[in-house]
Amino acid sequence: MHGMSAGGHTALSLAGGQWSPMSFRRHCEAHLAQAFQTCVGLIAHLSPPPPGLTGLLGDLLNDPPGFDRSFMSEVDKKITAFFILHLASSEQR
């Protein structure tokens, strides 16, 4: 069985699984490096990440020293233009 987010939770619930926030927390505290995406989820997609992240989470998510986030909107525009050009159907152009 493979599922993500609500789909995975729904499938496991239908199979008799029960959600346990404490078990989830214990798992993530013990295995953050191995289960990073599961434990952090959408926070990893925030731009910029929340301020003040420390420890392993900060090491993985904080901008590296000298990183200039001011160029990101220009990068996002270029990525969007690429996908519109190459992936959008002719009706969408």
Side-chain angles (χ1 to χ4, degrees):
M1 200 260 345
H2 176 78
M4 306 256 325
S5 192
H9 183 268
T10 301
L12 292 170
S13 295
L14 290 171
Q18 294 183 355
W19 171 246
S20 170
M22 289 307 297
S23 292
F24 181 72
R25 181 179 177 158
R26 281 193 303 272
H27 168 79
C28 291
E29 287 173 345
H31 305 285
L32 181 61
Q34 297 88 353
F36 179 75
Q37 189 61 42
T38 299
C39 296
V40 177
L42 293 177
I43 194 172
H45 300 288
L46 296 177
S47 181
L53 297 176
T54 60
L56 178 60
L57 191 57
D59 292 344
L60 294 169
L61 291 180
N62 289 333
D63 291 338
F67 180 79
D68 184 358
R69 193 166 281 280
S70 67
F71 292 103
M72 293 309 293
S73 64
E74 188 61 33
V75 171
D76 290 345
K77 289 177 190 172
K78 289 179 181 179
I79 292 170
T80 301
F82 173 86
F83 282 107
I84 288 172
L85 178 65
H86 296 285
L87 297 178
S89 70
S90 59
E91 294 175 14
Q92 292 176 319
R93 287 189 218 165

Coordinates of all heavy atoms in Angstrom, one line a residue:
M1 N 0.8 -1.2 0.0 CA 0.0 0.0 0.0 C 0.9 1.2 0.0 O 1.9 1.3 0.7 CB -0.9 0.0 1.2 CG -2.1 0.8 1.2 SD -2.2 2.5 1.9 CE -0.9 2.8 3.0
H2 N 0.5 2.2 -0.8 CA 1.3 3.4 -0.9 C 0.3 4.6 -0.9 O -0.7 4.5 -1.6 CB 2.2 3.5 -2.1 CG 2.9 4.8 -2.3 ND1 4.0 5.1 -1.5 CD2 2.6 5.9 -3.0 CE1 4.4 6.3 -1.9 NE2 3.6 6.8 -2.8
G3 N 0.5 5.6 -0.1 CA -0.4 6.7 0.0 C 0.3 7.9 0.6 O 1.3 7.7 1.4
M4 N -0.1 9.0 0.3 CA 0.5 10.2 0.9 C -0.7 11.1 1.5 O -1.8 11.1 1.0 CB 1.2 11.1 -0.2 CG 2.2 10.3 -1.0 SD 3.9 10.5 -0.6 CE 4.1 12.2 -0.2
S5 N -0.4 11.9 2.5 CA -1.3 12.8 3.0 C -2.6 12.2 3.4 O -2.6 11.1 4.0 CB -1.5 14.0 2.1 OG -2.1 15.1 2.7
A6 N -3.7 12.8 3.1 CA -5.0 12.3 3.5 C -5.3 10.9 2.9 O -6.0 10.1 3.5 CB -6.1 13.3 3.1
G7 N -4.8 10.7 1.7 CA -5.0 9.4 1.0 C -4.4 8.2 1.8 O -5.0 7.2 2.0
G8 N -3.2 8.4 2.2 CA -2.5 7.4 3.0 C -3.1 7.2 4.3 O -3.3 6.1 4.8
H9 N -3.5 8.3 4.9 CA -4.2 8.2 6.2 C -5.5 7.5 6.1 O -5.9 6.6 6.9 CB -4.4 9.6 6.8 CG -5.0 9.6 8.2 ND1 -6.4 9.7 8.4 CD2 -4.4 9.5 9.4 CE1 -6.6 9.7 9.7 NE2 -5.5 9.6 10.3
T10 N -6.3 7.8 5.1 CA -7.6 7.2 4.8 C -7.4 5.7 4.6 O -8.1 4.9 5.2 CB -8.3 7.8 3.6 OG1 -8.5 9.2 3.9 CG2 -9.6 7.2 3.4
A11 N -6.4 5.3 3.8 CA -6.2 3.9 3.5 C -5.9 3.1 4.8 O -6.4 2.0 5.1 CB -5.1 3.7 2.5
L12 N -5.0 3.7 5.6 CA -4.6 3.1 6.8 C -5.7 3.0 7.8 O -5.9 2.0 8.5 CB -3.4 3.8 7.5 CG -2.1 3.6 6.7 CD1 -1.0 4.6 7.2 CD2 -1.6 2.2 6.7
S13 N -6.5 4.0 7.9 CA -7.7 4.0 8.8 C -8.7 3.0 8.4 O -9.3 2.3 9.3 CB -8.4 5.4 8.8 OG -7.5 6.4 9.3
L14 N -8.9 2.8 7.1 CA -9.9 1.8 6.6 C -9.4 0.4 6.9 O -10.1 -0.5 7.1 CB -10.1 1.9 5.1 CG -10.9 3.2 4.7 CD1 -10.9 3.3 3.2 CD2 -12.4 3.0 5.2
A15 N -8.0 0.2 7.0 CA -7.5 -1.0 7.3 C -7.4 -1.3 8.9 O -6.9 -2.3 9.3 CB -6.1 -1.1 6.7
G16 N -7.9 -0.3 9.6 CA -7.9 -0.5 11.1 C -6.9 0.3 11.8 O -6.8 0.2 13.1
G17 N -6.1 1.0 11.1 CA -5.0 1.8 11.8 C -5.6 3.0 12.6 O -6.7 3.4 12.3
Q18 N -4.9 3.4 13.7 CA -5.4 4.5 14.5 C -4.3 5.5 14.6 O -3.1 5.2 14.9 CB -5.7 4.0 15.9 CG -6.9 3.1 15.9 CD -7.3 2.7 17.3 OE1 -6.7 3.0 18.3 NE2 -8.4 1.9 17.4
W19 N -4.6 6.8 14.4 CA -3.7 7.9 14.5 C -3.3 8.1 15.9 O -4.1 8.2 16.8 CB -4.3 9.1 13.9 CG -3.5 10.4 14.1 CD1 -3.9 11.5 14.8 CD2 -2.2 10.7 13.5 NE1 -2.9 12.4 14.8 CE2 -1.9 12.0 14.0 CE3 -1.3 10.0 12.7 CZ2 -0.7 12.6 13.6 CZ3 -0.2 10.7 12.3 CH2 0.2 11.9 12.8
S20 N -2.0 8.3 16.1 CA -1.4 8.6 17.4 C -0.4 9.8 17.3 O 0.7 9.6 16.9 CB -0.8 7.4 18.1 OG -0.1 7.8 19.2
P21 N -0.8 11.0 17.7 CA 0.1 12.1 17.6 C 1.4 11.9 18.4 O 2.5 12.3 18.0 CB -0.7 13.3 18.1 CG -2.1 12.9 18.0 CD -2.2 11.4 18.1
M22 N 1.2 11.3 19.6 CA 2.4 11.0 20.4 C 3.4 10.0 19.8 O 4.6 10.2 19.8 CB 2.0 10.5 21.8 CG 1.4 11.7 22.6 SD 2.4 13.2 22.8 CE 3.8 12.5 23.6
S23 N 2.8 9.0 19.1 CA 3.7 8.0 18.4 C 4.4 8.7 17.3 O 5.6 8.4 17.0 CB 2.9 6.8 18.0 OG 2.4 6.1 19.1
F24 N 3.7 9.5 16.6 CA 4.2 10.2 15.4 C 5.4 11.1 15.9 O 6.5 11.1 15.3 CB 3.2 11.1 14.7 CG 3.7 11.8 13.5 CD1 4.0 11.2 12.4 CD2 3.8 13.2 13.6 CE1 4.4 11.9 11.3 CE2 4.2 13.9 12.5 CZ 4.6 13.2 11.3
R25 N 5.2 11.8 17.0 CA 6.2 12.7 17.5 C 7.4 11.9 18.0 O 8.6 12.3 17.7 CB 5.6 13.5 18.7 CG 6.6 14.5 19.3 CD 6.1 15.3 20.4 NE 7.1 16.1 21.0 CZ 6.9 17.2 21.7 NH1 5.7 17.6 21.9 NH2 7.9 17.9 22.1
R26 N 7.2 10.8 18.7 CA 8.3 10.0 19.1 C 9.1 9.5 17.9 O 10.3 9.4 17.9 CB 7.8 8.8 20.0 CG 7.5 9.2 21.4 CD 7.3 8.0 22.3 NE 6.3 7.1 21.9 CZ 5.0 7.2 22.2 NH1 4.6 8.2 23.0 NH2 4.2 6.3 21.7
H27 N 8.4 9.0 16.9 CA 9.1 8.5 15.7 C 9.9 9.6 15.1 O 11.1 9.4 14.7 CB 8.0 8.0 14.7 CG 8.6 7.7 13.4 ND1 9.3 6.6 13.1 CD2 8.6 8.5 12.2 CE1 9.7 6.7 11.8 NE2 9.3 7.8 11.3
C28 N 9.4 10.8 14.9 CA 10.1 11.9 14.3 C 11.3 12.3 15.1 O 12.3 12.7 14.5 CB 9.1 13.0 13.9 SG 8.0 12.6 12.6
E29 N 11.1 12.4 16.4 CA 12.3 12.8 17.3 C 13.4 11.8 17.1 O 14.6 12.1 17.2 CB 11.8 12.9 18.7 CG 11.0 14.1 18.9 CD 10.4 14.2 20.3 OE1 10.4 13.2 21.0 OE2 9.9 15.3 20.7
A30 N 13.1 10.5 17.0 CA 14.1 9.4 16.9 C 14.7 9.2 15.5 O 15.8 8.8 15.4 CB 13.5 8.1 17.4
H31 N 13.9 9.6 14.5 CA 14.3 9.3 13.1 C 14.1 10.4 12.1 O 13.8 10.2 11.0 CB 13.5 8.1 12.6 CG 13.5 6.9 13.5 ND1 14.6 6.0 13.6 CD2 12.6 6.4 14.4 CE1 14.4 5.1 14.4 NE2 13.2 5.3 14.9
L32 N 14.4 11.6 12.6 CA 14.1 12.8 11.7 C 14.9 12.7 10.4 O 14.4 13.0 9.3 CB 14.5 14.1 12.4 CG 14.2 15.4 11.6 CD1 12.7 15.5 11.2 CD2 14.6 16.6 12.4
A33 N 16.2 12.4 10.4 CA 17.0 12.3 9.2 C 16.5 11.3 8.2 O 16.4 11.6 7.0 CB 18.4 12.0 9.6
Q34 N 16.0 10.1 8.7 CA 15.5 9.1 7.8 C 14.1 9.4 7.3 O 13.8 8.9 6.2 CB 15.6 7.7 8.5 CG 16.9 7.3 8.9 CD 17.3 7.8 10.3 OE1 16.7 8.6 11.0 NE2 18.5 7.3 10.8
A35 N 13.3 10.0 8.1 CA 11.9 10.2 7.8 C 11.6 11.7 7.6 O 10.5 12.2 8.0 CB 11.0 9.6 8.8
F36 N 12.6 12.5 7.1 CA 12.5 13.9 7.1 C 11.2 14.4 6.4 O 10.4 15.2 7.0 CB 13.7 14.5 6.4 CG 13.7 16.0 6.3 CD1 13.9 16.8 7.4 CD2 13.4 16.6 5.1 CE1 13.9 18.2 7.4 CE2 13.3 18.0 5.1 CZ 13.6 18.8 6.2
Q37 N 10.9 14.0 5.2 CA 9.7 14.5 4.5 C 8.4 14.1 5.2 O 7.5 14.9 5.2 CB 9.7 13.9 3.0 CG 8.7 14.6 2.1 CD 8.9 16.1 2.0 OE1 10.0 16.6 1.9 NE2 7.8 16.8 2.1
T38 N 8.4 12.9 5.7 CA 7.2 12.5 6.5 C 7.0 13.4 7.7 O 5.9 13.8 8.0 CB 7.3 11.0 6.9 OG1 7.4 10.2 5.7 CG2 6.1 10.6 7.7
C39 N 8.0 13.6 8.4 CA 7.9 14.4 9.7 C 7.8 15.9 9.4 O 7.0 16.5 10.2 CB 9.2 14.1 10.5 SG 9.3 12.4 11.0
V40 N 8.4 16.4 8.5 CA 8.4 17.9 8.2 C 7.2 18.2 7.3 O 6.6 19.3 7.4 CB 9.7 18.4 7.7 CG1 9.7 19.8 7.3 CG2 10.8 18.1 8.7
G41 N 7.0 17.4 6.3 CA 5.9 17.6 5.3 C 6.0 19.0 4.6 O 7.1 19.3 4.1
L42 N 4.9 19.7 4.5 CA 4.9 20.9 3.7 C 5.7 22.0 4.2 O 6.0 23.0 3.5 CB 3.4 21.3 3.5 CG 2.5 20.4 2.7 CD1 1.1 20.9 2.7 CD2 3.1 20.2 1.3
I43 N 6.1 22.0 5.4 CA 7.0 23.1 6.0 C 8.3 23.2 5.1 O 8.8 24.3 4.9 CB 7.3 22.9 7.4 CG1 7.9 24.2 8.0 CG2 8.3 21.7 7.6 CD1 8.1 24.1 9.5
A44 N 8.7 22.1 4.5 CA 9.9 22.1 3.7 C 9.7 22.9 2.4 O 10.6 23.2 1.7 CB 10.3 20.7 3.3
H45 N 8.4 23.1 2.0 CA 8.1 23.9 0.8 C 7.9 25.3 1.1 O 7.6 26.1 0.1 CB 6.9 23.3 0.1 CG 7.1 21.8 -0.3 ND1 7.9 21.4 -1.3 CD2 6.7 20.7 0.3 CE1 8.0 20.1 -1.4 NE2 7.2 19.7 -0.4
L46 N 8.0 25.8 2.3 CA 7.7 27.2 2.6 C 8.9 28.0 2.1 O 10.1 27.6 2.2 CB 7.5 27.4 4.1 CG 6.3 26.8 4.7 CD1 6.3 27.0 6.2 CD2 5.0 27.3 4.1
S47 N 8.6 29.2 1.5 CA 9.7 30.0 1.0 C 9.4 31.4 1.5 O 8.5 32.0 1.0 CB 9.8 29.9 -0.5 OG 10.8 30.7 -0.9
P48 N 10.2 32.0 2.3 CA 11.3 31.4 3.1 C 10.8 30.5 4.2 O 9.6 30.6 4.6 CB 12.1 32.6 3.6 CG 11.0 33.6 3.8 CD 10.0 33.4 2.7
P49 N 11.6 29.6 4.7 CA 11.2 28.8 5.9 C 11.0 29.7 7.1 O 11.5 30.8 7.2 CB 12.4 27.9 6.1 CG 13.6 28.5 5.4 CD 13.0 29.4 4.3
P50 N 10.2 29.2 8.1 CA 10.0 30.0 9.3 C 11.3 30.3 10.0 O 12.3 29.6 9.9 CB 9.2 29.0 10.2 CG 8.7 28.0 9.3 CD 9.6 27.9 8.1
P51 N 11.4 31.5 10.5 CA 12.7 31.9 11.2 C 12.9 31.2 12.5 O 12.0 30.6 13.1 CB 12.4 33.4 11.5 CG 10.9 33.6 11.6 CD 10.4 32.5 10.6
G52 N 14.2 31.1 12.8 CA 14.6 30.5 14.1 C 14.7 29.0 14.1 O 14.7 28.4 15.2
L53 N 14.7 28.3 13.0 CA 14.8 26.8 13.0 C 16.2 26.5 13.5 O 17.2 27.1 13.0 CB 14.5 26.2 11.6 CG 13.1 26.5 11.1 CD1 13.0 25.9 9.7 CD2 12.1 25.8 12.0
T54 N 16.3 25.5 14.4 CA 17.7 25.2 14.9 C 17.8 23.7 14.8 O 16.9 22.9 14.4 CB 17.8 25.6 16.4 OG1 16.8 24.9 17.1 CG2 17.7 27.1 16.5
G55 N 19.0 23.2 15.1 CA 19.3 21.8 15.1 C 19.3 21.2 13.7 O 19.6 21.9 12.7
L56 N 19.0 19.9 13.6 CA 19.0 19.2 12.3 C 18.0 19.9 11.4 O 18.3 20.1 10.2 CB 18.7 17.8 12.5 CG 18.6 16.9 11.2 CD1 19.9 17.0 10.5 CD2 18.2 15.5 11.6
L57 N 16.8 20.2 11.9 CA 15.8 20.9 11.1 C 16.3 22.2 10.5 O 16.2 22.5 9.3 CB 14.5 21.1 11.9 CG 13.3 21.5 11.1 CD1 12.9 20.5 10.1 CD2 12.1 21.7 12.1
G58 N 17.0 23.0 11.3 CA 17.6 24.3 10.8 C 18.6 24.0 9.8 O 18.7 24.7 8.8
D59 N 19.5 23.0 10.0 CA 20.6 22.7 9.1 C 20.0 22.3 7.7 O 20.6 22.6 6.7 CB 21.4 21.5 9.6 CG 22.2 21.9 10.8 OD1 22.4 23.1 11.1 OD2 22.7 20.9 11.5
L60 N 18.9 21.6 7.7 CA 18.3 21.1 6.5 C 17.5 22.2 5.7 O 17.4 22.2 4.5 CB 17.4 19.9 6.7 CG 18.2 18.7 7.2 CD1 17.2 17.6 7.7 CD2 19.0 18.1 6.1
L61 N 16.8 23.1 6.5 CA 15.9 24.0 5.9 C 16.3 25.5 5.7 O 15.9 26.2 4.9 CB 14.5 24.0 6.6 CG 13.7 22.7 6.5 CD1 12.5 22.9 7.3 CD2 13.4 22.4 5.1
N62 N 17.2 25.9 6.6 CA 17.6 27.3 6.6 C 18.4 27.6 5.3 O 19.1 26.7 4.8 CB 18.4 27.7 7.8 CG 17.6 27.7 9.1 OD1 16.4 28.0 9.0 ND2 18.2 27.5 10.2
D63 N 18.4 28.8 4.8 CA 19.2 29.2 3.7 C 20.6 29.2 4.1 O 21.0 29.5 5.2 CB 18.8 30.7 3.3 CG 17.4 30.8 2.7 OD1 16.9 29.8 2.2 OD2 16.9 31.9 2.7
P64 N 21.5 28.7 3.1 CA 22.9 28.7 3.4 C 23.5 30.1 3.5 O 22.9 31.1 3.0 CB 23.5 28.0 2.2 CG 22.5 28.1 1.1 CD 21.2 28.3 1.8
P65 N 24.6 30.3 4.2 CA 25.2 31.6 4.4 C 25.4 32.3 3.0 O 25.9 31.6 2.1 CB 26.5 31.3 5.1 CG 26.3 30.0 5.7 CD 25.4 29.2 4.9
G66 N 25.0 33.5 2.9 CA 25.3 34.2 1.7 C 24.2 34.1 0.6 O 24.2 34.7 -0.5
F67 N 23.2 33.2 0.9 CA 22.1 33.0 -0.1 C 21.2 34.3 -0.2 O 20.8 34.8 0.8 CB 21.2 31.8 0.3 CG 20.1 31.5 -0.6 CD1 20.4 30.8 -1.8 CD2 18.8 31.9 -0.4 CE1 19.3 30.5 -2.7 CE2 17.8 31.6 -1.2 CZ 18.1 30.9 -2.4
D68 N 21.0 34.7 -1.5 CA 20.2 35.9 -1.7 C 18.8 35.5 -2.2 O 18.7 35.2 -3.4 CB 21.0 36.8 -2.7 CG 20.3 38.1 -2.9 OD1 19.2 38.4 -2.3 OD2 20.8 38.9 -3.7
R69 N 17.8 35.6 -1.4 CA 16.5 35.2 -1.7 C 15.8 36.2 -2.6 O 14.8 35.9 -3.2 CB 15.7 35.0 -0.4 CG 14.4 34.3 -0.6 CD 13.8 33.9 0.7 NE 14.4 32.7 1.2 CZ 14.1 31.5 0.7 NH1 13.2 31.3 -0.2 NH2 14.7 30.4 1.2
S70 N 16.4 37.4 -2.8 CA 15.7 38.4 -3.7 C 15.6 38.0 -5.1 O 14.8 38.6 -5.9 CB 16.5 39.8 -3.6 OG 17.8 39.7 -4.2
F71 N 16.4 37.0 -5.6 CA 16.3 36.6 -6.9 C 15.2 35.5 -7.2 O 14.9 35.1 -8.3 CB 17.7 36.0 -7.4 CG 18.8 37.0 -7.5 CD1 19.7 37.1 -6.5 CD2 18.8 37.8 -8.6 CE1 20.7 38.0 -6.6 CE2 19.8 38.8 -8.7 CZ 20.8 38.8 -7.7
M72 N 14.6 35.0 -6.1 CA 13.7 33.9 -6.2 C 12.4 34.2 -7.0 O 12.0 33.4 -7.8 CB 13.3 33.4 -4.8 CG 14.4 32.8 -4.0 SD 15.3 31.5 -4.9 CE 14.0 30.2 -5.1
S73 N 11.9 35.4 -7.0 CA 10.7 35.7 -7.8 C 11.0 35.7 -9.3 O 10.2 35.2 -10.1 CB 10.1 37.1 -7.4 OG 11.0 38.1 -7.7
E74 N 12.2 36.1 -9.6 CA 12.7 36.0 -11.1 C 12.8 34.5 -11.5 O 12.4 34.2 -12.6 CB 14.0 36.8 -11.3 CG 14.3 36.9 -12.7 CD 13.3 37.6 -13.6 OE1 12.6 38.5 -13.1 OE2 13.2 37.2 -14.8
V75 N 13.4 33.7 -10.6 CA 13.5 32.3 -10.9 C 12.2 31.7 -11.0 O 11.9 30.9 -11.9 CB 14.4 31.6 -9.7 CG1 14.3 30.1 -9.9 CG2 15.8 32.1 -9.7
D76 N 11.2 32.0 -10.1 CA 9.9 31.4 -10.2 C 9.2 31.8 -11.5 O 8.5 31.0 -12.2 CB 9.0 31.9 -9.1 CG 9.4 31.3 -7.7 OD1 10.2 30.3 -7.7 OD2 9.0 31.9 -6.7
K77 N 9.4 33.0 -12.0 CA 8.8 33.5 -13.3 C 9.4 32.7 -14.4 O 8.7 32.3 -15.4 CB 9.1 35.0 -13.5 CG 8.3 35.9 -12.6 CD 8.6 37.3 -12.8 CE 8.0 38.2 -11.8 NZ 8.5 39.6 -11.9
K78 N 10.7 32.4 -14.4 CA 11.3 31.6 -15.5 C 10.8 30.2 -15.5 O 10.6 29.6 -16.5 CB 12.8 31.6 -15.3 CG 13.5 33.0 -15.6 CD 15.0 33.0 -15.4 CE 15.5 34.4 -15.7 NZ 17.0 34.4 -15.5
I79 N 10.7 29.6 -14.3 CA 10.2 28.2 -14.2 C 8.7 28.2 -14.7 O 8.4 27.3 -15.5 CB 10.3 27.7 -12.8 CG1 11.7 27.5 -12.4 CG2 9.5 26.4 -12.6 CD1 11.9 27.3 -10.9
T80 N 7.9 29.1 -14.3 CA 6.5 29.2 -14.8 C 6.4 29.3 -16.3 O 5.7 28.6 -17.0 CB 5.8 30.3 -14.1 OG1 5.8 30.1 -12.7 CG2 4.3 30.4 -14.5
A81 N 7.3 30.2 -16.9 CA 7.3 30.4 -18.3 C 7.7 29.1 -19.0 O 7.1 28.8 -20.1 CB 8.2 31.6 -18.7
F82 N 8.7 28.4 -18.5 CA 9.1 27.2 -19.1 C 7.9 26.2 -19.2 O 7.7 25.6 -20.2 CB 10.3 26.6 -18.4 CG 10.6 25.2 -18.8 CD1 11.5 25.1 -19.9 CD2 10.1 24.1 -18.2 CE1 11.9 23.8 -20.4 CE2 10.5 22.8 -18.7 CZ 11.3 22.7 -19.8
F83 N 7.2 26.0 -18.1 CA 6.1 25.0 -18.1 C 5.0 25.4 -18.9 O 4.3 24.6 -19.6 CB 5.7 24.7 -16.6 CG 6.7 23.8 -15.9 CD1 7.5 24.3 -15.0 CD2 6.7 22.5 -16.3 CE1 8.4 23.4 -14.3 CE2 7.6 21.6 -15.7 CZ 8.4 22.1 -14.7
I84 N 4.7 26.7 -19.0 CA 3.6 27.2 -19.9 C 4.0 26.9 -21.3 O 3.2 26.4 -22.1 CB 3.4 28.7 -19.7 CG1 2.6 28.9 -18.3 CG2 2.5 29.3 -20.8 CD1 2.5 30.3 -17.9
L85 N 5.2 27.2 -21.7 CA 5.7 26.9 -23.1 C 5.7 25.5 -23.4 O 5.3 25.1 -24.5 CB 7.1 27.6 -23.2 CG 7.7 27.4 -24.6 CD1 6.9 28.1 -25.7 CD2 9.2 27.9 -24.6
H86 N 6.2 24.6 -22.5 CA 6.4 23.2 -22.9 C 5.4 22.2 -22.5 O 5.3 21.2 -23.1 CB 7.8 22.8 -22.4 CG 8.9 23.5 -22.9 ND1 9.4 23.3 -24.2 CD2 9.7 24.5 -22.4 CE1 10.4 24.1 -24.5 NE2 10.6 24.9 -23.4
L87 N 4.6 22.6 -21.5 CA 3.6 21.6 -21.0 C 2.1 22.0 -21.2 O 1.3 21.1 -21.1 CB 3.9 21.3 -19.5 CG 5.3 20.7 -19.2 CD1 5.4 20.5 -17.7 CD2 5.4 19.4 -20.0
A88 N 1.9 23.2 -21.3 CA 0.5 23.7 -21.4 C -0.1 23.2 -22.7 O 0.6 23.2 -23.7 CB 0.4 25.2 -21.2
S89 N -1.4 22.8 -22.7 CA -2.0 22.4 -24.0 C -2.2 23.7 -24.8 O -2.1 24.8 -24.4 CB -3.4 21.8 -23.7 OG -4.3 22.8 -23.2
S90 N -2.4 23.5 -26.1 CA -2.6 24.6 -27.0 C -3.8 25.5 -26.7 O -3.8 26.7 -26.9 CB -2.7 24.1 -28.5 OG -3.8 23.3 -28.6
E91 N -4.8 24.9 -26.0 CA -5.9 25.7 -25.6 C -5.6 26.6 -24.4 O -6.2 27.7 -24.3 CB -7.1 24.7 -25.1 CG -7.6 23.9 -26.2 CD -8.6 22.9 -25.7 OE1 -9.1 23.0 -24.5 OE2 -8.9 21.9 -26.4
Q92 N -4.6 26.3 -23.6 CA -4.2 27.1 -22.5 C -3.3 28.3 -22.9 O -3.1 29.1 -22.2 CB -3.6 26.3 -21.4 CG -4.6 25.3 -20.8 CD -3.9 24.4 -19.8 OE1 -2.8 23.9 -20.0 NE2 -4.5 24.2 -18.7
R93 N -2.7 28.2 -24.1 CA -1.7 29.2 -24.5 C -2.4 30.4 -25.1 O -3.3 30.5 -25.7 CB -0.7 28.6 -25.5 CG 0.2 27.7 -24.8 CD 1.4 27.3 -25.7 NE 1.7 25.9 -25.4 CZ 2.4 25.2 -26.2 NH1 2.9 25.6 -27.3 NH2 2.6 24.0 -25.9

